[in-house]
Amino acid sequence: MTTRFAVGDITIQRIIEQEQPLFDPLTFLPGLTQERLEENRGWLEQARALDKATGQLVLCVQSYVVRTPHHTILVDSCVGNHKDRPGRPFWHQKSDDTYMRNLAAAGLSVEDIDYVLCTHLHVDHVGWNTRLENGRWVPTFSKAKYVMADRELAYWTQKEKDDPSGVPWITDSVLPIVDAKRAQLVKSDFVLNESIQLIPTPGHTIDHYSVLVGRHGRDALITGDMIHSPIQGRYPELGMRADYDSRQAGQTRRKVFDRFCDTSTVMCVVHFPSPSTGHVRRWGDGYKFVP
Ligand SMILES: [Zn+2]
Protein backbone atom coordinates (compact mmCIF):
# COMPACT_ATOMS: atom_id res chain seq x y z
CA MET A 1 0.00 0.00 0.00
CA THR A 2 1.27 3.47 -0.79
CA THR A 3 -0.12 6.90 -0.20
CA ARG A 4 1.05 10.01 -1.91
CA PHE A 5 0.52 13.68 -1.22
CA ALA A 6 2.02 16.99 -2.26
CA VAL A 7 3.50 19.93 -0.38
CA GLY A 8 3.93 22.69 -2.94
CA ASP A 9 5.82 21.27 -5.91
CA ILE A 10 7.13 18.30 -3.92
CA THR A 11 5.46 14.91 -3.60
CA ILE A 12 5.93 12.55 -0.68
CA GLN A 13 5.11 8.88 -0.88
CA ARG A 14 5.39 5.94 1.50
CA ILE A 15 7.14 2.70 0.58
CA ILE A 16 6.04 0.07 3.09
CA GLU A 17 8.06 -3.02 3.89
CA GLN A 18 6.09 -4.34 6.88
CA GLU A 19 3.14 -3.35 9.02
CA GLN A 20 2.19 -5.72 11.80
CA PRO A 21 2.06 -6.25 15.57
CA LEU A 22 5.74 -6.45 16.55
CA PHE A 23 6.49 -5.60 20.18
CA ASP A 24 5.08 -5.89 23.68
CA PRO A 25 4.28 -2.31 24.77
CA LEU A 26 5.58 -2.65 28.34
CA THR A 27 9.02 -3.87 27.27
CA PHE A 28 9.23 -1.63 24.20
CA LEU A 29 8.42 1.47 26.29
CA PRO A 30 10.05 0.69 29.66
CA GLY A 31 8.51 3.67 31.48
CA LEU A 32 4.97 2.62 30.57
CA THR A 33 2.98 1.10 33.43
CA GLN A 34 0.12 -1.38 33.08
CA GLU A 35 -2.26 1.20 34.57
CA ARG A 36 -1.27 3.88 32.10
CA LEU A 37 -1.55 1.40 29.24
CA GLU A 38 -5.09 0.44 30.32
CA GLU A 39 -6.03 4.12 30.58
CA ASN A 40 -5.03 4.61 26.94
CA ARG A 41 -5.92 1.22 25.46
CA GLY A 42 -9.18 2.40 23.88
CA TRP A 43 -7.81 5.13 21.64
CA LEU A 44 -4.61 3.23 20.88
CA GLU A 45 -6.64 0.25 19.63
CA GLN A 46 -8.90 2.55 17.66
CA ALA A 47 -5.84 4.09 15.98
CA ARG A 48 -4.58 0.52 15.35
CA ALA A 49 -1.40 1.44 17.19
CA LEU A 50 -2.18 -1.43 19.55
CA ASP A 51 -3.35 -4.78 18.21
CA LYS A 52 -6.53 -6.03 19.90
CA ALA A 53 -5.80 -9.72 19.35
CA THR A 54 -2.17 -9.88 20.50
CA GLY A 55 -1.90 -6.77 22.69
CA GLN A 56 1.28 -5.84 20.82
CA LEU A 57 2.26 -2.49 19.39
CA VAL A 58 1.63 -2.30 15.65
CA LEU A 59 4.57 -0.77 13.84
CA CYS A 60 4.92 0.19 10.23
CA VAL A 61 8.38 -0.22 8.72
CA GLN A 62 8.62 2.08 5.74
CA SER A 63 10.62 4.58 3.72
CA TYR A 64 9.42 7.94 2.51
CA VAL A 65 10.21 8.98 -1.05
CA VAL A 66 10.44 12.70 -1.65
CA ARG A 67 10.33 13.95 -5.22
CA THR A 68 11.43 17.53 -5.80
CA PRO A 69 11.65 19.10 -9.27
CA HIS A 70 15.36 18.17 -9.23
CA HIS A 71 15.85 15.06 -7.12
CA THR A 72 14.35 11.82 -5.92
CA ILE A 73 15.19 11.23 -2.29
CA LEU A 74 14.63 8.15 -0.15
CA VAL A 75 14.41 8.71 3.60
CA ASP A 76 15.49 5.56 5.49
CA SER A 77 15.71 2.12 3.97
CA CYS A 78 13.92 -0.31 6.31
CA VAL A 79 15.14 -3.83 7.09
CA GLY A 80 16.34 -5.34 3.82
CA ASN A 81 16.71 -8.92 2.62
CA HIS A 82 19.12 -11.80 3.32
CA LYS A 83 20.43 -10.17 6.49
CA ASP A 84 21.35 -12.20 9.58
CA ARG A 85 19.18 -10.87 12.43
CA PRO A 86 18.92 -13.90 14.73
CA GLY A 87 17.50 -11.82 17.58
CA ARG A 88 14.57 -10.65 15.44
CA PRO A 89 12.80 -13.59 13.78
CA PHE A 90 10.53 -11.27 11.74
CA TRP A 91 13.60 -9.54 10.20
CA HIS A 92 16.00 -12.50 10.03
CA GLN A 93 17.01 -13.65 6.52
CA LYS A 94 14.00 -11.98 4.97
CA SER A 95 13.55 -12.77 1.29
CA ASP A 96 10.14 -11.31 0.38
CA ASP A 97 9.66 -8.86 -2.48
CA THR A 98 7.28 -6.47 -0.68
CA TYR A 99 9.66 -3.52 -0.54
CA MET A 100 10.88 -3.74 -4.12
CA ARG A 101 7.34 -4.35 -5.34
CA ASN A 102 6.12 -1.23 -3.54
CA LEU A 103 9.03 0.79 -4.91
CA ALA A 104 8.12 -0.34 -8.43
CA ALA A 105 4.44 0.45 -7.77
CA ALA A 106 5.57 4.00 -6.99
CA GLY A 107 7.08 4.11 -10.46
CA LEU A 108 10.66 3.92 -9.20
CA SER A 109 13.66 1.72 -9.82
CA VAL A 110 16.72 1.65 -7.57
CA GLU A 111 18.65 3.75 -10.13
CA ASP A 112 16.16 6.61 -9.78
CA ILE A 113 17.20 7.45 -6.21
CA ASP A 114 19.63 10.40 -6.03
CA TYR A 115 19.97 10.54 -2.25
CA VAL A 116 19.31 8.13 0.60
CA LEU A 117 18.91 10.08 3.82
CA CYS A 118 19.74 7.95 6.88
CA THR A 119 17.93 9.59 9.84
CA HIS A 120 19.92 7.28 12.10
CA LEU A 121 21.81 4.01 11.83
CA HIS A 122 19.48 1.49 13.45
CA VAL A 123 18.77 -1.93 11.98
CA ASP A 124 15.29 -1.10 10.61
CA HIS A 125 16.45 2.10 8.85
CA VAL A 126 19.52 1.03 6.88
CA GLY A 127 18.70 -2.49 5.64
CA TRP A 128 18.05 -1.76 1.99
CA ASN A 129 21.14 0.45 1.84
CA THR A 130 22.80 -2.69 0.53
CA ARG A 131 21.86 -5.88 -1.23
CA LEU A 132 23.66 -9.16 -1.66
CA GLU A 133 25.41 -9.57 -5.02
CA ASN A 134 27.74 -12.54 -5.61
CA GLY A 135 28.29 -12.91 -1.89
CA ARG A 136 29.13 -9.21 -1.36
CA TRP A 137 27.10 -6.34 0.07
CA VAL A 138 26.80 -3.63 -2.57
CA PRO A 139 24.85 -0.34 -2.56
CA THR A 140 21.26 -1.09 -3.58
CA PHE A 141 20.66 2.43 -4.87
CA SER A 142 23.50 2.39 -7.32
CA LYS A 143 23.53 6.08 -8.21
CA ALA A 144 22.69 7.51 -4.80
CA LYS A 145 24.70 9.38 -2.23
CA TYR A 146 23.90 8.18 1.26
CA VAL A 147 23.64 11.11 3.67
CA MET A 148 24.67 10.28 7.25
CA ALA A 149 25.31 12.47 10.28
CA ASP A 150 29.04 12.45 11.03
CA ARG A 151 28.77 11.80 14.78
CA GLU A 152 26.19 9.07 14.19
CA LEU A 153 28.51 7.23 11.82
CA ALA A 154 31.52 7.67 14.12
CA TYR A 155 29.56 6.26 17.06
CA TRP A 156 28.37 3.13 15.22
CA THR A 157 31.70 2.57 13.49
CA GLN A 158 33.39 2.43 16.90
CA LYS A 159 30.70 0.05 18.22
CA GLU A 160 31.30 -2.23 15.27
CA LYS A 161 35.03 -2.17 15.90
CA ASP A 162 34.50 -3.07 19.56
CA ASP A 163 31.99 -5.88 18.96
CA PRO A 164 30.81 -6.56 15.40
CA SER A 165 28.46 -9.34 16.56
CA GLY A 166 26.41 -6.76 18.49
CA VAL A 167 25.72 -4.56 15.45
CA PRO A 168 25.57 -6.80 12.36
CA TRP A 169 23.59 -4.18 10.43
CA ILE A 170 26.54 -1.79 10.61
CA THR A 171 28.76 -4.47 9.09
CA ASP A 172 26.40 -5.42 6.27
CA SER A 173 24.40 -2.25 5.59
CA VAL A 174 26.47 0.80 6.62
CA LEU A 175 30.20 0.13 6.29
CA PRO A 176 29.89 -1.23 2.71
CA ILE A 177 28.41 2.17 1.76
CA VAL A 178 31.41 3.94 3.31
CA ASP A 179 33.83 1.51 1.59
CA ALA A 180 32.12 2.14 -1.76
CA LYS A 181 32.67 5.90 -1.17
CA ARG A 182 28.94 6.56 -1.34
CA ALA A 183 28.51 8.07 2.14
CA GLN A 184 28.13 11.84 2.36
CA LEU A 185 28.93 12.87 5.92
CA VAL A 186 27.13 15.96 7.16
CA LYS A 187 26.20 17.83 10.31
CA SER A 188 22.71 16.94 11.51
CA ASP A 189 21.44 20.45 10.60
CA PHE A 190 22.63 20.16 6.99
CA VAL A 191 20.71 21.99 4.27
CA LEU A 192 20.59 19.79 1.17
CA ASN A 193 18.82 22.34 -1.00
CA GLU A 194 16.14 25.04 -0.79
CA SER A 195 13.46 22.47 0.01
CA ILE A 196 15.23 19.78 2.05
CA GLN A 197 16.70 20.55 5.45
CA LEU A 198 17.88 18.26 8.24
CA ILE A 199 16.71 19.02 11.79
CA PRO A 200 18.77 17.59 14.66
CA THR A 201 16.51 15.38 16.82
CA PRO A 202 18.97 13.63 19.16
CA GLY A 203 18.13 11.21 21.94
CA HIS A 204 16.90 8.03 20.31
CA THR A 205 20.40 7.88 18.85
CA ILE A 206 23.39 10.10 19.43
CA ASP A 207 23.04 12.27 16.30
CA HIS A 208 19.59 11.44 14.97
CA TYR A 209 18.05 13.83 12.44
CA SER A 210 14.58 14.46 11.03
CA VAL A 211 13.95 15.87 7.55
CA LEU A 212 12.01 19.06 6.90
CA VAL A 213 10.64 19.11 3.36
CA GLY A 214 9.10 22.03 1.48
CA ARG A 215 8.82 25.69 2.28
CA HIS A 216 7.25 27.46 5.20
CA GLY A 217 3.49 26.97 5.23
CA ARG A 218 3.65 24.07 2.76
CA ASP A 219 5.93 21.62 4.43
CA ALA A 220 6.27 18.22 6.04
CA LEU A 221 8.53 16.76 8.70
CA ILE A 222 9.76 13.20 8.18
CA THR A 223 10.46 12.32 11.79
CA GLY A 224 12.60 9.22 11.59
CA ASP A 225 12.51 7.58 15.04
CA MET A 226 12.06 10.76 17.03
CA ILE A 227 8.85 8.97 18.09
CA HIS A 228 7.69 5.34 17.81
CA SER A 229 4.15 5.18 19.18
CA PRO A 230 1.41 7.82 19.47
CA ILE A 231 1.34 7.23 23.23
CA GLN A 232 4.74 9.01 23.32
CA GLY A 233 2.87 12.04 21.97
CA ARG A 234 0.53 12.05 24.92
CA TYR A 235 3.48 11.44 27.27
CA PRO A 236 6.54 12.89 25.51
CA GLU A 237 8.90 11.76 28.29
CA LEU A 238 8.05 8.09 27.69
CA GLY A 239 11.29 6.54 26.44
CA MET A 240 11.85 3.63 24.08
CA ARG A 241 14.10 0.76 25.13
CA ALA A 242 16.76 1.32 22.45
CA ASP A 243 17.16 5.04 23.19
CA TYR A 244 20.70 6.33 23.46
CA ASP A 245 19.49 8.98 25.94
CA SER A 246 15.78 8.75 26.80
CA ARG A 247 15.75 12.02 28.70
CA GLN A 248 17.15 13.87 25.70
CA ALA A 249 14.72 12.01 23.40
CA GLY A 250 11.83 13.29 25.55
CA GLN A 251 13.16 16.85 25.38
CA THR A 252 13.49 16.51 21.62
CA ARG A 253 9.87 15.35 21.29
CA ARG A 254 8.62 18.31 23.32
CA LYS A 255 10.71 20.75 21.30
CA VAL A 256 9.65 19.37 17.91
CA PHE A 257 5.97 18.96 18.81
CA ASP A 258 5.90 22.41 20.32
CA ARG A 259 7.31 23.86 17.11
CA PHE A 260 4.93 22.06 14.76
CA CYS A 261 1.74 21.56 16.77
CA ASP A 262 -1.36 23.37 15.52
CA THR A 263 0.44 24.28 12.27
CA SER A 264 -0.14 23.03 8.72
CA THR A 265 3.09 20.98 8.76
CA VAL A 266 2.38 17.35 7.88
CA MET A 267 4.15 14.93 10.20
CA CYS A 268 5.38 11.80 8.43
CA VAL A 269 6.15 9.24 11.10
CA VAL A 270 8.06 6.11 10.21
CA HIS A 271 6.62 3.64 12.69
CA PHE A 272 3.04 4.85 13.27
CA PRO A 273 0.44 2.54 11.69
CA SER A 274 -1.08 3.57 8.37
CA PRO A 275 -1.75 6.23 7.27
CA SER A 276 1.31 7.27 9.39
CA THR A 277 0.95 10.91 8.33
CA GLY A 278 -1.03 13.67 9.99
CA HIS A 279 -0.93 16.74 12.18
CA VAL A 280 0.09 17.33 15.76
CA ARG A 281 -2.38 18.99 18.11
CA ARG A 282 -2.01 19.93 21.73
CA TRP A 283 -3.56 17.44 24.16
CA GLY A 284 -3.39 18.43 27.82
CA ASP A 285 0.28 18.49 28.75
CA GLY A 286 1.09 16.39 25.68
CA TYR A 287 0.26 16.07 22.01
CA LYS A 288 -2.21 14.22 19.87
CA PHE A 289 -1.50 12.89 16.41
CA VAL A 290 -4.42 13.44 14.05
CA PRO A 291 -4.14 11.37 10.84
ZN1 LIG B 1 13.04 2.32 13.84
Side-chain angles (χ1 to χ4, degrees):
M1 187 177 77
T2 56
T3 55
R4 185 172 176 158
F5 64 96
V7 283
D9 56 359
I10 295 169
T11 64
I12 300 179
Q13 187 162 11
R14 303 158 61 216
I15 309 292
I16 295 176
E17 184 178 38
Q18 275 183 339
E19 182 169 10
Q20 63 189 67
L22 282 178
F23 299 110
D24 170 64
L26 298 180
T27 47
F28 193 75
L29 305 165
L32 183 62
T33 61
Q34 188 73 50
E35 295 69 38
R36 189 155 265 193
L37 176 61
E38 293 318 319
E39 235 176 87
N40 291 278
R41 183 177 294 281
W43 70 268
L44 285 168
E45 285 182 352
Q46 209 163 21
R48 289 178 303 103
L50 199 60
D51 180 52
K52 260 187 190 168
T54 61
Q56 291 189 322
L57 290 172
V58 175
L59 265 71
C60 197
V61 179
Q62 61 190 327
S63 303
Y64 283 87
V65 169
V66 178
R67 280 185 256 211
T68 76
H70 309 294
H71 296 112
T72 302
I73 295 153
L74 186 81
V75 182
D76 288 339
S77 70
C78 302
V79 172
N81 274 2
H82 310 117
K83 313 238 156 161
D84 261 323
R85 307 288 181 251
R88 295 263 180 271
F90 38 80
W91 293 341
H92 181 59
Q93 286 293 338
K94 231 162 53 60
S95 61
D96 62 280
D97 65 351
T98 309
Y99 188 78
M100 284 300 163
R101 215 161 13 86
N102 286 339
L103 195 69
L108 291 168
S109 76
V110 291
E111 289 89 31
D112 292 328
I113 305 299
D114 301 304
Y115 289 98
V116 177
L117 304 187
C118 304
T119 63
H120 64 301
L121 303 181
H122 271 170
V123 57
D124 53 324
H125 295 260
V126 298
W128 280 106
N129 278 5
T130 59
R131 62 188 170 81
L132 200 55
E133 192 182 85
N134 302 321
R136 287 182 58 235
W137 295 109
V138 300
T140 304
F141 305 99
S142 50
K143 295 183 178 160
K145 281 186 188 148
Y146 291 68
V147 178
M148 304 177 189
D150 53 2
R151 289 169 53 235
E152 182 83 8
L153 179 65
Y155 174 85
W156 290 105
T157 303
Q158 187 58 48
K159 276 226 169 233
E160 205 264 355
K161 233 183 205 169
D162 295 343
D163 177 19
S165 68
V167 290
W169 65 93
I170 301 298
T171 313
D172 60 40
S173 306
V174 175
L175 297 183
I177 298 300
V178 177
D179 292 342
K181 307 213 176 329
R182 308 306 288 278
Q184 180 177 350
L185 296 190
V186 300
K187 297 290 169 199
S188 48
D189 62 355
F190 178 66
V191 177
L192 184 71
N193 59 40
E194 72 284 355
S195 47
I196 309 280
Q197 184 186 351
L198 310 188
I199 306 278
T201 44
H204 180 56
T205 62
I206 190 165
D207 203 9
H208 186 287
Y209 66 73
S210 302
V211 184
L212 187 59
V213 173
R215 294 169 201 235
H216 189 65
R218 302 183 91 178
D219 56 9
L221 184 76
I222 302 173
T223 61
D225 276 5
M226 185 209 82
I227 184 167
H228 291 78
S229 165
I231 196 169
Q232 293 174 290
R234 180 155 203 196
Y235 311 108
E237 281 71 34
L238 200 53
M240 184 269 184
R241 67 175 168 200
D243 286 344
Y244 170 75
D245 181 341
S246 272
R247 201 168 150 262
Q248 188 185 38
Q251 289 164 348
T252 288
R253 275 188 288 279
R254 280 219 179 265
K255 195 171 152 192
V256 170
F257 289 151
D258 211 50
R259 172 170 170 188
F260 294 104
C261 88
D262 301 320
T263 70
S264 62
T265 302
V266 182
M267 305 294 277
C268 303
V269 185
V270 172
H271 290 313
F272 281 15
S274 291
S276 317
T277 55
H279 293 93
V280 177
R281 304 284 177 245
R282 216 169 278 283
W283 186 12
D285 185 38
Y287 304 87
K288 186 198 298 242
F289 180 79
V290 183

